Amino acid sequence: MEVSLTLKPTSFPRLHKDIEITIFRIVQEALTNAYRHSETKSARVEIDRQPDKVKVRVRDYGKGLSTSILDGGRSASRFFGVGLSGMRERVRQFGGEVLLSREEPGTLVEARIPLFGHPTE
Ligand SMILES: Nc1ncnc2c1ncn2[C@@H]1O[C@H](COP(=O)(O)OP(=O)(O)O)[C@@H](O)[C@H]1O
Ligand SMILES: [Mg+2]
């Protein structure tokens, strides 16, 4: 599986260690999922450093998440393995959220992590 990385902006200072670890885990899990479950040939990772938050997007071009996982909201968590729910839980500890969406084709995992207002300050 070929993976590309885009940083926005192309260079920015280090983030708090706990945030960096969280970003690493998100990318690790989402790429592992893309490789294991989606049958994609490629994936894209984008890390978007905004003034008040960082957005991490992992997109694949595979078969897509099942609707039971996408539409069920909270109740869908029972379909998750440890991966997606662990990702959600970790991002929630920072006051952030994880959005899962079906693309044409594939899956987009987007985590939004606020950079202020949590215990890492
Ligand atoms: N990128 C993806 N493409 C297609 N299906 C996926 C993708 N990511 C996750 N899934 C589906 O969602 C389920 C839950 O994912 P996850 O919580 O990471 O658990 P696990 O990877 O351990 O099965 C997977 O078993 C798989 O069916
Ligand atoms: Mg997984």
Side-chain angles (χ1 to χ4, degrees):
M1 185 174 78
E2 196 176 295
V3 178
S4 71
L5 172 67
T6 304
L7 296 179
K8 293 183 177 178
T10 48
S11 166
F12 52 85
R14 298 288 301 261
L15 301 167
H16 188 282
K17 172 170 64 75
D18 294 343
I19 302 235
E20 290 189 348
I21 291 167
T22 296
I23 292 170
F24 174 78
R25 295 286 180 216
I26 292 163
V27 172
Q28 182 181 43
E29 179 59 30
L31 286 179
T32 303
N33 279 348
Y35 181 74
R36 274 200 198 140
H37 304 302
S38 84
E39 295 164 23
T40 193
K41 290 201 175 77
S42 65
R44 299 178 73 95
V45 178
E46 190 177 291
I47 299 176
D48 183 359
R49 203 313 189 178
Q50 300 185 353
D52 56 335
K53 62 177 158 315
V54 60
K55 287 187 181 177
V56 180
R57 297 188 195 91
V58 181
R59 164 86 198 268
D60 69 54
Y61 301 87
K63 65 183 187 186
L65 281 170
S66 71
T67 46
S68 55
I69 289 176
L70 281 172
D71 300 338
R74 211 165 272 258
S75 67
S77 60
R78 71 196 164 90
F79 294 102
F80 292 175
V82 281
L84 289 172
S85 57
M87 188 192 294
R88 277 228 155 107
E89 205 166 292
R90 179 137 200 169
V91 169
R92 238 179 239 152
Q93 286 173 1
F94 294 96
E97 57 187 345
V98 176
L99 308 169
L100 305 173
S101 52
R102 187 192 271 275
E103 302 290 314
E104 287 301 327
T107 297
L108 174 67
V109 177
E110 179 175 293
R112 302 173 178 173
I113 306 167
L115 294 174
F116 307 105
H118 48 67
T120 61
E121 273 183 278

